[in-house]
Amino acid sequence: MPTVEHNGKSFQVDEDGFLLKGMEEWNAEWVDYVKASEGISELTDEHQKVIDALQEYYKKNGIAPMVRILSKTTGYPLKRIYELFPSGPGKGACKMAGLPKPTGCV
Amino acid sequence: MGYNPDKPMEGRLTDLGPPHYEQFMPQVIKDNKGKWLWHEIVQPGVLMHKSETGDEVYTVRVGSARLVTCQFIREVCEIADKHCEGKLRFTTRNNIEFMVDAKDKVQPLLDDLASRGNRFPVGGTGAGVTNIVHTQGWIHCHTPATDASGPVKAVMDELFEYFTSMTLPAQVRIALACCLNMCGAVHASDIAILGIHRKPPMIDHKRITGVCELPLAIASCPTGAVKPAKAEVDGNEIKTVKVTVERCMFCGNCYTMCPAMPLADPDGDGIAILVGGKISNRISAPKFSKLVIPFLPNTPPRWPEVVEAVKTILEAYAKDAKKYERVGEWAERIGWESFFEKCNIPFTEKSIDDYRLAYNTWRTTTQFKFTSHVK
């Protein structure tokens, strides 16, 4: 599996660019590295709020939240989440937050 | 304007939906939409629809492999350009239909199709075997227990005469799915070919932490065989899952949710045959297909055991069923014990339902027939 380097930090990623070790390897450099490929020019507080919500939920429950739960806890409707993360809550926000890649018939 | 990766959202078009179908209609279809009076099957693979305006449209149906190249599509377009004012359609079973607006245009089209070798077999109408609805298999999917395109080709080669003729009691729908996600139509087809596993998942404790949401893997199990557990990896205790093997029926749902639980196995995997499903409401209500052969091995590239089984069932049905009777209606009329006898299929305990609502599938009557069917 490939390793990527960014600002002196290295990350093990899979072919879709998700962190292989999940949040163990996650840090602020990762967010900075991912945002370019996810079409995000500048990281705002709103982005951070979504990432924090995802990580908090994952640490507590061991799964990524359902989209409705993410909307409810952050207060952002799905439309706004897509404006923040153009690839959507799964491919965009979860990747940035260091959560495992979404599975199932996606 | 080309796509600019630095400004991905600039000039982006979205939510346009598919183009409206009317712009692709042949003129005769457009003129007579909603005005059709009756139709007939002129010969296998050729239909004629009559409109109240007096117009006629002749449809020539040809088989396709579903998985096709651009080159093949271009050849199809070339045929449509030559005979059908550049219009054509695909059916819900992935056959191709060429439409012409006069009878004298049919024969040149048929001759042209015939001149292209076996690339465009005409058929698939009426009481025959039409195209097999199938899935990805080893071509593209990561959860299959068998291949799709391979067995479909092998079966259709053997049943080709039924594609180009209309000699069966009713149409026979054959479908294939390469795992029991059952993408497509296997759960409601006259004869269904289904990929199955026979071994439990192997758990990769080293990877599971990073790639898997454990509660999802646990909740994905229909029999409650997946449980949370702890394991030691490189001296560290990690959260993982364990599988109670006696409760596992090898559905593979947990692998769908969790990449660290693969279960494909060359010897364990194979094919089950189900029969008797239908989706129409004609005479009897729609039915689910039922398991009759629990396991046949994967034997690429020609799957002779599977081909043989499908052919045997089809021929027993063709010989015995009444006109208009679908496979499921036939089996229910003669009784399933007679079905197994006539198709010469050994009945196994695997056909006896044991999942939750199983009770209703057992026989709660003294009505049955003695069969001399001992294997």
Side-chain angles (χ1 to χ4, degrees):
Chain A
M1 280 296 154
T3 308
V4 295
E5 302 271 342
H6 185 71
N7 288 353
K9 294 260 168 49
S10 70
F11 305 96
Q12 281 180 285
V13 297
D14 65 9
E15 68 280 8
D16 293 311
F18 278 79
L19 277 178
L20 265 184
K21 301 231 164 191
M23 276 202 285
E24 272 176 38
E25 268 197 355
W26 181 90
N27 55 40
E29 305 302 327
W30 173 251
V31 176
D32 190 56
Y33 170 74
V34 171
K35 73 179 194 206
S37 64
E38 288 304 318
I40 297 163
S41 47
E42 204 168 341
L43 208 73
T44 63
D45 289 348
E46 287 182 299
H47 289 106
Q48 198 57 49
K49 191 171 168 188
V50 174
I51 292 172
D52 289 346
L54 286 172
Q55 293 190 332
E56 195 184 327
Y57 192 93
Y58 186 80
K59 277 180 199 151
K60 196 169 153 210
N61 300 296
I63 58 172
M66 271 140 272
V67 169
R68 285 169 179 231
I69 295 175
L70 183 64
S71 287
K72 210 167 179 180
T73 50
T74 57
Y76 302 140
L78 189 58
K79 189 166 180 288
R80 182 77 193 127
I81 293 176
Y82 268 91
E83 284 163 8
L84 297 169
F85 300 91
S87 314
K91 242 189 111 251
C94 280
K95 186 198 276 187
M96 224 176 198
L99 267 57
K101 183 160 65 182
T103 54
C105 297
V106 285
Chain B
M1 192 181 71
Y3 172 71
N4 177 3
D6 296 329
K7 290 180 179 169
M9 302 303 276
E10 198 177 79
R12 176 170 173 264
L13 299 177
T14 179
D15 297 314
L16 306 175
H20 196 276
Y21 54 86
E22 214 157 77
Q23 54 182 299
F24 305 107
M25 281 181 176
Q27 194 56 45
V28 60
I29 303 284
K30 212 179 266 180
D31 294 344
N32 295 287
K33 189 178 170 222
K35 298 178 190 167
W36 303 106
L37 288 178
W38 52 273
H39 72 278
E40 65 178 2
I41 302 174
V42 185
Q43 67 184 74
V46 183
L47 305 152
M48 191 275 274
H49 287 77
K50 186 83 175 179
S51 162
E52 61 187 36
T53 63
D55 282 352
E56 289 176 348
V57 60
Y58 288 82
T59 304
V60 176
R61 184 176 296 170
V62 303
S64 99
R66 190 181 72 92
L67 196 69
V68 296
T69 60
C70 297
Q71 205 178 6
F72 177 86
I73 298 284
R74 289 199 183 102
E75 189 175 350
V76 171
C77 294
E78 180 212 317
I79 296 167
D81 281 338
K82 214 187 275 179
H83 299 274
C84 323
E85 47 181 287
K87 305 281 171 43
L88 67 102
R89 68 184 290 270
F90 282 78
T91 69
T92 54
R93 297 189 81 85
N94 306 302
N95 291 305
I96 305 169
E97 286 186 348
F98 297 104
M99 282 154 288
V100 292
D101 54 11
K103 190 167 192 183
D104 55 0
K105 294 180 183 172
V106 174
Q107 199 53 47
L109 173 58
L110 290 175
D111 293 342
D112 186 357
L113 292 168
S115 74
R116 293 164 192 264
N118 288 330
R119 291 165 76 76
F120 300 98
V122 175
T125 53
V129 174
T130 183
N131 220 349
I132 300 184
V133 167
H134 64 282
T135 55
Q136 303 280 8
W138 297 332
I139 293 278
H140 197 75
C141 189
H142 69 298
T143 66
T146 187
D147 192 22
S149 299
V152 163
K153 165 74 172 150
V155 170
M156 279 315 275
D157 277 351
E158 191 66 25
L159 303 184
F160 187 69
E161 60 183 295
Y162 294 103
F163 183 81
T164 53
S165 67
M166 305 191 292
T167 55
L168 295 170
Q171 73 267 43
V172 172
R173 301 292 187 232
I174 305 179
L176 178 147
C178 44
C179 81
L180 41 63
N181 257 5
M182 296 193 172
C183 301
V186 288
H187 64 297
S189 291
D190 292 290
I191 303 177
I193 305 165
L194 177 67
I196 55 152
H197 302 284
R198 293 186 302 164
K199 295 191 180 174
M202 300 157 276
I203 302 166
D204 186 347
H205 296 301
K206 281 207 160 116
R207 285 177 65 217
I208 202 163
T209 309
V211 298
C212 189
E213 301 168 51
L214 300 178
L216 293 188
I218 294 160
S220 72
C221 184
T223 60
V226 182
K227 292 205 183 81
K230 299 240 191 301
E232 208 178 278
V233 172
D234 304 330
N236 300 320
E237 193 181 61
I238 58 144
K239 282 187 191 168
T240 180
V241 293
K242 66 174 178 203
V243 174
T244 313
V245 175
E246 309 81 65
R247 290 189 73 88
C248 180
M249 57 179 182
F250 329 118
C251 68
N253 278 353
C254 52
Y255 176 61
T256 302
M257 299 316 293
C258 175
M261 300 177 76
L263 78 164
D265 181 274
D267 302 317
D269 295 354
I271 281 174
I273 305 284
L274 292 79
V275 304
K278 69 195 268 284
I279 54 173
S280 80
N281 276 296
R282 208 263 277 111
I283 302 176
S284 67
K287 299 179 204 300
F288 284 126
S289 2
K290 295 180 172 57
L291 179 82
V292 294
I293 303 180
F295 180 78
L296 295 167
N298 271 331
T299 40
R302 298 299 297 178
W303 277 267
E305 297 86 355
V306 174
V307 171
E308 176 66 27
V310 170
K311 197 173 186 197
T312 307
I313 294 168
L314 186 72
E315 282 175 350
Y317 157 77
K319 206 174 112 200
D320 199 61
K322 293 179 178 169
K323 195 166 179 178
Y324 303 125
E325 211 168 39
R326 299 284 293 266
V327 174
E329 293 167 331
W330 168 63
E332 283 179 11
R333 174 173 62 81
I334 64 174
W336 283 96
E337 66 270 38
S338 302
F339 170 88
F340 278 89
E341 187 179 43
K342 282 182 200 279
C343 295
N344 202 25
I345 297 170
F347 183 86
T348 70
E349 78 281 6
K350 300 279 191 279
S351 282
I352 303 171
D353 197 345
D354 57 359
Y355 187 70
R356 291 187 185 185
L357 304 175
Y359 182 85
N360 289 341
T361 66
W362 304 337
R363 193 185 302 264
T364 50
T365 167
T366 53
Q367 295 192 343
F368 71 98
K369 295 183 189 79
F370 285 100
T371 54
S372 57
H373 188 61
V374 181
K375 285 259 171 183

